[in-house]
Amino acid sequence: MWLTPDGRAGPAVNRLLDRLETAQFDALDPKTLKRLSTRDARRALDRARSGKAKDVARAEIELSTLFADYVRATRAGHRAPMLYESAALAPVIPSVTAAVSAAAKAPSLDDYVRQMGWMHPFYAPLRDAMDTRAFDPVQRRTIWENIERVRALPATPADRYVLVDAASARLWMYENGKVVDSMRVVVGKPESATPTMAGFIRYAIVNPYWNVPPDLVQHTIANNVLDRGLRYLKQNTYEVLSDFTDNPAALDPAKVNWRAVAQGAIAPPRVRQKPGGPNFMGKVKFEFPNAQGIYLHDTPERALLKLDDRQLSNGCVRLEDADRFGKWLLGKSLPKAAKTKPEQRIDLPTLVPVYITYLTAMPTERGIAFRSDVYGLDSSTQVEFAGG
């Protein structure tokens, strides 16, 4: 895999040795760095130049062992927190056999090592940026933070998956590792930040209700009722209900003590916004069940999508073009909401993973793009390396 039969090193060998000798940029601990020393591999390569089959075989084994150790170490390295609906969505540490087999199957071993094909495609460009003097200390610190966030993403999440970046407020659709479409989104405000998380999009709900979260009922709905009267509820098509069961009873809003709700003295009632019109969900929402109550959805507030800074929601992800996104997910157009009963569920043909991350430094075709740290997650720790 690494050498020709007469012991000459292929182009991937120098690439691998360089990766190993700059592994401090992978945030590996000192014991691991010591284990990844290239000293024995270089000696084995020197002996392999004799062309003797035994020496060539030993060098091959030495290189493959080092490579597998490096793959496993980088996959096991510290990563930023991410909520995973299922362990199937999280990065895994491959076996030695799996790591070497994946490399052997690559169309180009040199490209595979250069791109670090066992990591997410964003990883190698960020890691390599640390191995230059092109960035000031603040930028290097930011890149370092984002390396750990990218490490929380699997190398190849699935044949088809969705990536949402809350820092740039943008969504990408991937097929076979390539971006096939992208769109703007609105994500959470700093005080209601969209969490970094991963789940399986399972179904769409056409003509959805919007169940207002209890904290918004307390802090927004109740105060608006106190300021504007009960007509506020009617104008915005809100219903006040008894509970969160499938068949709740309607409550008379006039009998609710909205002042006590606003003060937190009593639990907020269930408030639901009817489909259509001003409904915050728009025409459709896409569910990936999670305890945080986050989902992707249409929005009637189109002007927000034209802004450069789009961290403006209560945590959910509002889509620039929900119809286009739905067609990509389902393989067919969504039914017209106006002709559909409320809460019509449409299951996806196959589950589609969605990853929500937060990248204040992202690789692009023009280099590393830096974003404002609107959520205040980047640390102030300076980045220093021994020997680099």
Side-chain angles (χ1 to χ4, degrees):
M1 189 165 85
W2 303 99
L3 307 174
T4 62
D6 61 359
R8 287 180 288 115
V13 171
N14 286 333
R15 188 83 65 183
L16 174 62
L17 295 176
D18 180 66
R19 287 271 181 241
L20 292 164
E21 289 167 359
T22 58
Q24 70 267 30
F25 298 117
D26 294 294
L28 304 181
D29 62 77
K31 288 184 178 180
T32 302
L33 291 174
K34 186 175 181 180
R35 191 174 73 246
L36 296 175
S37 168
T38 60
R39 181 186 57 189
D40 291 342
R42 289 192 177 278
R43 289 175 179 172
L45 285 167
D46 287 340
R47 290 192 294 269
R49 293 192 184 97
S50 68
K52 294 180 180 178
K54 187 176 182 179
D55 291 335
V56 174
R58 283 177 175 170
E60 276 281 347
I61 291 170
E62 182 69 30
L63 288 167
S64 289
T65 301
L66 262 181
F67 170 77
D69 285 347
Y70 181 56
V71 169
R72 288 166 55 81
T74 50
R75 290 276 279 268
H78 183 267
R79 64 192 188 209
M82 178 172 275
L83 302 170
Y84 300 99
E85 175 197 332
S86 164
L89 291 160
V92 297
I93 303 172
S95 67
V96 171
T97 300
V100 175
S101 296
K105 294 174 182 176
S108 165
L109 182 58
D110 185 38
D111 286 345
Y112 188 75
V113 177
R114 177 177 60 83
Q115 297 168 1
M116 299 184 73
W118 57 94
M119 304 295 284
H120 189 275
F122 288 164
Y123 183 87
L126 289 173
R127 186 257 197 222
D128 291 347
M130 295 299 297
D131 193 15
T132 73
R133 297 298 178 187
F135 302 99
D136 63 38
V138 173
Q139 290 174 322
R140 285 170 64 80
R141 184 194 70 217
T142 301
I143 293 169
W144 190 247
E145 298 275 354
N146 285 271
I147 286 174
E148 295 193 346
R149 292 170 190 156
V150 169
R151 194 181 272 130
L153 303 172
T156 52
D159 293 340
R160 302 171 80 238
Y161 73 96
V162 176
L163 180 69
V164 177
D165 172 39
S168 60
R170 194 155 195 96
L171 175 150
W172 293 266
M173 290 160 264
Y174 282 81
E175 291 182 10
N176 301 315
K178 304 293 184 183
V179 175
V180 295
D181 202 353
S182 179
M183 66 179 64
R184 290 183 167 208
V185 295
V186 173
V187 294
K189 296 173 286 192
E191 59 269 29
S192 54
T194 302
T196 53
M197 60 193 306
F200 288 108
I201 303 176
R202 288 172 158 79
Y203 53 87
I205 298 290
V206 178
N207 229 13
Y209 287 102
W210 179 44
N211 286 292
V212 184
D215 62 320
L216 291 182
V217 175
Q218 177 187 347
H219 298 296
T220 301
I221 302 293
N223 284 314
N224 280 329
V225 171
L226 293 173
D227 290 342
R228 298 162 58 183
L230 295 176
R231 65 182 181 277
Y232 165 78
L233 297 173
K234 186 175 182 180
Q235 288 169 349
N236 291 279
T237 68
Y238 288 120
E239 302 174 306
V240 182
L241 305 173
S242 59
D243 53 55
F244 282 86
T245 62
D246 291 337
N247 296 296
L251 297 182
D252 183 353
K255 296 182 179 180
V256 175
N257 187 339
W258 292 105
R259 190 169 301 282
V261 171
Q263 293 171 347
I266 62 173
R270 178 183 178 183
V271 176
R272 182 174 72 178
Q273 192 176 35
K274 295 178 181 179
N279 184 285
F280 271 27
M281 297 293 100
K283 297 176 291 186
V284 61
K285 65 178 179 178
F286 302 93
E287 293 273 14
F288 56 106
N290 58 84
Q292 291 67 40
I294 301 298
Y295 31 79
L296 313 176
H297 64 87
D298 184 28
T299 175
E301 296 184 308
R302 311 306 300 172
L304 299 183
L305 288 155
K306 297 178 181 179
L307 301 176
D308 290 332
D309 298 321
R310 299 184 296 280
Q311 290 78 22
L312 300 163
S313 81
N314 293 309
C316 287
V317 179
R318 305 179 189 180
L319 301 164
E320 179 180 22
D321 193 332
D323 287 330
R324 194 171 88 230
F325 184 66
K327 187 173 183 179
W328 179 77
L329 285 175
L330 295 165
K332 61 182 180 181
S333 297
L334 292 167
K336 298 294 183 182
K339 299 179 180 179
T340 305
K341 294 179 180 180
E343 295 281 306
Q344 293 301 296
R345 171 170 167 160
I346 304 174
D347 291 327
L348 270 60
T350 57
L351 304 186
V352 177
V354 56
Y355 290 85
I356 301 177
T357 187
Y358 179 74
L359 300 178
T360 52
M362 178 185 284
T364 71
E365 293 180 356
R366 297 181 180 180
I368 305 300
F370 293 93
R371 312 288 185 189
S372 297
D373 180 22
V374 291
Y375 289 172
L377 299 182
D378 291 347
S379 74
S380 58
T381 304
Q382 295 299 310
V383 179
E384 296 181 2
F385 298 97

